[in-house]
Structure formats: C-alpha cells, structure tokens
Amino acid sequence: MHTRQVYKGKLFLLFVVIFIFIVIISVRTPRSYGSIPKPLGAEVTCPHQVSEQTITLLNNTKHFLVSAYVDERVNGFSLRIIGIFRRDSVRSLHCVFCCDGHLSTTTPATILPHSDHFGFRFCATDVMCQVPRNCDATHVTLLTQPDGVKVLNHSWLPIRNRNVKEEKKIQFDFTVCISNLFGNYNNVLQFAQTLEMYRLLGVNRVVIYNTSCGPDLERLLQSYSQEGFVELVPWPIDRYLNPSSGWLFSQHGGDVHYFGQLTTLNECIYRSMDRSRYVLLNDIDEIIMPYQHRDLKGLMDMLQQKHPNTGVFLIENHIFPKKPLEENKKGPLPQWKGVPGYNILEHIYREEPDRNIYHPHKMIVQPR
Ligand SMILES: *[C@@H]1O[C@H](CO)[C@@H](O)[C@H](O)[C@H]1NC(C)=O
Ligand SMILES: *[C@@H]1O[C@H](CO)[C@@H](O)[C@H](O)[C@H]1NC(C)=O
Ligand SMILES: *[C@@H]1O[C@H](CO)[C@@H](O)[C@H](O)[C@H]1NC(C)=O
C-alpha cells in the first residue's frame, strides 16, 4: 500500500510535470513562430535605419535628401527623390530599394539639379530612379557605388504616395504651400487673418515649413495644427547649412536661396499630389482673391473650362502698400489690442501697377 501510494504520487507528479511542460510549450510556440518574419524563412535585411528627419545627410556625400515619392509620369522612371545638392560635387549615384524587407539590385540614378540656384552653392535637386521589376519598394536610398555592400549603414527614406489610384477620392480641393518660416517672425494678426481668408476662399489645408518663429505665432500655429487646418513640417535647415535670408548669393551670401524655399515648394507639390486637386504656391502676405467668383473653386472651374489642358496658372502680383492710405481712426478691434502684426483689413487700396516694370507671379498648380 505504502509503495503504491508513493508510486501514485510520483505518477501524479510526472503528470503535473508533463502538463506544465505541455503548457509551456504550447504557450511558447506561437511566440517563437511569431518572431519568424517570413513564411519562406527569408531574413529581413532592410530598412535598417529609417530617417525620421525632414532633412537627411546622404552618407559619403555633401548632399541632403528630403523625401521620396512615387512618380510614374516620366517615362522609364518610377520614383522621384527631392533633395538639396551641393552643385560642385555632383557625381553619379545609384538607387537601391528595400522591397518588402529585402535589398534590391541597384539602378542608376538620374540627377536633375534645378536651374534656379541664384549663385548659391546648394540647390534644389530632383533624383529620378527606376524601381526594379518584382520589387514592392517601401524605402529607398542612394549609393555612391553600384554595389550594395555598405548599404546597411545608410538612412532609408520611406516612399510616399504608394498605391495612388486615379479614381481614389481626392481629399482636398485646395492646398496652400507656405514655403518657409524663419527668424523671429511674429506677425500673428496678419497670419491669422490670412489663414481665415484662405478658409473662406475654400482652402482645405495650409502646409507650412518651419525653421523658427516668434512666441505668439508659435501658439497660433500649434492651435491651427491641432485642428488640422495647418500642417507643420519641421525644416531645420539651419542645423545643416548657413541658409540665406535673401534671394541672390552675390548680395546676401550664405549656402542656399531663402532657407531652401525652392526645395520646400517642390516637396509640397509632391506631398499634395495624392490628395489635393490644386496647390497654391504663395507667401503668407499674399492672397489669391477672386473678384468675380465667391471662392477659388468657382474661379478654377471657370478657368479650367476655358483652358482644359492647362496644369499651371500664373497670377500676377499686385501690391497693397504697408502704409494704409487712410489710417483707421478707431484702431483695431478691442479684442486685437496687443496682438502683434499687421491688420490687413486696413490695407484695402491697391497700387496701380507700373506697366513698365516686371511683376512677379504666383502659381496655382494642378499637381497631377
Ligand atoms: C553604422 O552606424 C552606426 C550608427 O548609425 C555606427 O554606430 C556604426 O559605427 C556604423 N558602422 C559603420 C561600419 O560605419
Ligand atoms: C555614415 O557613414 C559613416 C561611415 O562612413 C557612419 O559612421 C555613420 O553612422 C553613417 N551615418 C548614417 C546616418 O548613415
Ligand atoms: C518651429 O521650429 C522651431 C525650431 O525647431 C521649434 O522650436 C518650434 O516649436 C516650431 N514651431 C512650430 C509651430 O512648429
């Protein structure tokens, strides 16, 4: 009896051990299966390090990459990289892709520096790449050598506007791109009035590239961005270059025209391509104001009907002088007292344009 009981006890213990063992195995197994990334057992080799910055130094070069977009409009290419390149050190580059976790073969890159550089050393540059066949590319980077050996230490750019379908519903009618905010710019009153004017005219999104701004404007933009009307893109170009606050190298010095304005406007067009019917490129002290239509949609419907195959519309600048012709005796609304900036409602007189001089233009672009 005694030995039997001991035996029974041991048997029970054995059962318990087996049971625990089985439980452990069955609890563990799914996890270890879960950590195997691909059913085929292939290892994920990329992207090792994805850039989360708006400006990324391209390793082994003096160039900067900003973003990458699918762009199948140019024959023989399928991807466009937006960048800022140093003009005196452009050498051949090779595109390499991360295709669903695997490195692709490299393809030659076509480097297209923009012709507008105004004498500065750095200029807006597009790089066109061809994605290899059978590659579902998620990330891209550029190499100085056609072999992919040293690729692991590069920062990868995520590829945007993937799977854009022609028939996909377009989210916005109008996007305004405000190129660059820099210095201690704190013109809150004009900024708020202009944003609200855009809204009344049917603008759905305002994209702003921010290098720095003043304290009151900071608060204003934070609240517009929480609401979703403003999209703030960090633009810390002063961390990488000595950006010029002027437009001409010989007069203003520095590394790049107007804090890289041509690059940000270019980037904004591609950022909006997937989601906006029209893109307006202007500054915050500019408003494209229809006078025969109640909003921009009415204006564009008419213009597009008249010019069905036109993708870019140029709008001539006209000036409303800073100094109001008639000072408003009452001053601004009491609620606006102490708000820094111009009250645009007081600047209602347009200067007669001098037809002997050139007037610059602003653009309305149909981005596709
Ligand atoms: C790769 O990059 C990491 C940091 O990004 C650095 O610590 C490492 O030394 C680099 N390796 C090589 C071989 O350059
Ligand atoms: C760039 O390459 C150097 C070695 O050439 C490496 O130490 C560094 O981590 C790389 N940086 C990035 C951002 O890939
Ligand atoms: C603009 O950029 C500066 C510098 O990075 C940052 O301190 C500030 O918070 C940014 N402002 C907004 C409104 O994004």
Side-chain angles (χ1 to χ4, degrees), residues 109-161:
T110 300
I111 303 170
L112 306 169
H114 291 207
S115 54
D116 287 341
H117 51 67
F118 306 103
F120 292 99
R121 215 154 38 138
F122 285 83
C123 75
T125 300
D126 287 15
V127 179
M128 302 301 297
C129 293
Q130 177 67 62
V131 182
R133 274 166 199 274
N134 305 323
C135 167
D136 179 18
T138 56
H139 297 80
V140 63
T141 189
L142 295 170
L143 303 176
T144 48
Q145 301 294 328
D147 63 85
V149 180
K150 300 191 194 86
V151 77
L152 282 180
N153 236 13
H154 271 242
S155 289
W156 291 88
L157 296 183
I159 298 175
R160 306 202 224 173
N161 291 1

Side-chain angles (χ1 to χ4, degrees), residues 195-214:
L195 287 178
E196 290 304 329
M197 195 67 230
Y198 289 160
R199 211 201 297 257
L200 289 173
L201 291 173
V203 170
N204 312 98
R205 173 62 61 90
V206 180
V207 182
I208 298 173
Y209 292 81
N210 165 42
T211 304
S212 62
C213 66

Side-chain angles (χ1 to χ4, degrees), residues 303-352:
L303 283 177
Q304 203 74 84
Q305 207 169 12
K306 274 194 181 167
H307 311 277
N309 298 317
T310 302
V312 179
F313 295 86
L314 299 177
I315 319 281
E316 192 179 67
N317 280 20
H318 287 267
I319 294 181
F320 292 70
K322 259 185 192 169
K323 188 177 166 3
L325 289 183
E326 253 173 76
E327 293 289 352
N328 187 338
K329 311 259 166 357
K330 285 181 285 173
L333 291 178
Q335 304 90 299
W336 294 349
K337 283 232 171 78
V339 178
Y342 289 108
N343 175 10
I344 62 172
L345 303 180
E346 287 178 352
H347 302 264
I348 52 174
Y349 297 103
R350 197 182 79 176
E351 251 176 35
E352 215 32 61

Side-chain angles (χ1 to χ4, degrees), residues 76-331:
F77 294 102
S78 43
L79 188 106
R80 181 185 299 265
I81 297 175
I82 312 274
I84 303 176
F85 275 38
R86 200 171 127 156
R87 290 193 293 129
D88 62 5
S89 71
V90 175
R91 314 230 188 298
S92 64
L93 290 170
H94 306 269
C95 311
V96 64
F97 301 89
C98 185
C99 322
D100 203 15
H102 305 283
L103 277 186
S104 74
T105 53
T106 60
T107 56
T110 300
I111 303 170
L112 306 169
H114 291 207
S115 54
D116 287 341
H117 51 67
F118 306 103
F120 292 99
R121 215 154 38 138
F122 285 83
C123 75
T125 300
D126 287 15
V127 179
M128 302 301 297
C129 293
Q130 177 67 62
V131 182
R133 274 166 199 274
N134 305 323
C135 167
D136 179 18
T138 56
H139 297 80
V140 63
T141 189
L142 295 170
L143 303 176
T144 48
Q145 301 294 328
D147 63 85
V149 180
K150 300 191 194 86
V151 77
L152 282 180
N153 236 13
H154 271 242
S155 289
W156 291 88
L157 296 183
I159 298 175
R160 306 202 224 173
N161 291 1
R162 296 170 69 221
N163 310 318
V164 178
K165 298 269 181 326
E166 202 58 52
E167 66 273 19
K168 192 179 124 184
K169 195 174 175 314
I170 296 182
Q171 200 180 350
F172 303 137
D173 280 326
F174 294 93
T175 298
V176 171
C177 299
I178 301 294
S179 56
N180 296 58
L181 210 51
F182 58 83
N184 197 34
Y185 191 78
N186 205 32
N187 188 348
V188 182
L189 194 50
Q190 179 167 5
F191 218 107
Q193 290 176 342
T194 305
L195 287 178
E196 290 304 329
M197 195 67 230
Y198 289 160
R199 211 201 297 257
L200 289 173
L201 291 173
V203 170
N204 312 98
R205 173 62 61 90
V206 180
V207 182
I208 298 173
Y209 292 81
N210 165 42
T211 304
S212 62
C213 66
D216 303 271
L217 193 57
E218 169 82 26
R219 277 174 53 212
L220 184 86
L221 289 179
Q222 293 295 357
S223 96
Y224 271 110
S225 125
Q226 270 163 27
E227 177 202 331
F229 185 55
V230 162
E231 177 174 340
L232 284 165
V233 183
W235 187 250
I237 188 138
D238 50 352
R239 254 186 252 159
Y240 302 93
L241 294 174
N242 169 26
S244 181
S245 49
W247 68 276
L248 194 61
F249 174 70
S250 56
Q251 268 178 36
H252 307 100
D255 287 331
V256 66
H257 168 264
Y258 268 135
F259 280 71
Q261 184 190 67
L262 293 174
T263 308
T264 54
L265 290 178
N266 192 28
E267 134 78 23
C268 190
I269 292 175
Y270 287 93
R271 178 180 289 260
S272 310
M273 191 173 277
D274 181 16
R275 62 183 193 196
S276 190
R277 206 172 295 279
Y278 293 101
V279 179
L280 285 60
L281 306 180
N282 58 230
D283 293 329
I284 198 66
D285 60 357
E286 294 169 328
I287 298 173
I288 295 176
M289 177 68 80
Y291 64 95
Q292 294 176 350
H293 299 88
R294 44 176 299 138
D295 56 18
L296 289 163
K297 187 163 186 313
L299 171 70
M300 291 317 294
D301 285 348
M302 180 273 288
L303 283 177
Q304 203 74 84
Q305 207 169 12
K306 274 194 181 167
H307 311 277
N309 298 317
T310 302
V312 179
F313 295 86
L314 299 177
I315 319 281
E316 192 179 67
N317 280 20
H318 287 267
I319 294 181
F320 292 70
K322 259 185 192 169
K323 188 177 166 3
L325 289 183
E326 253 173 76
E327 293 289 352
N328 187 338
K329 311 259 166 357
K330 285 181 285 173

Side-chain angles (χ1 to χ4, degrees), residues 49 57 59-60 153-155:
Q49 186 186 338
L57 177 65
N59 227 338
N60 308 321
N153 236 13
H154 271 242
S155 289

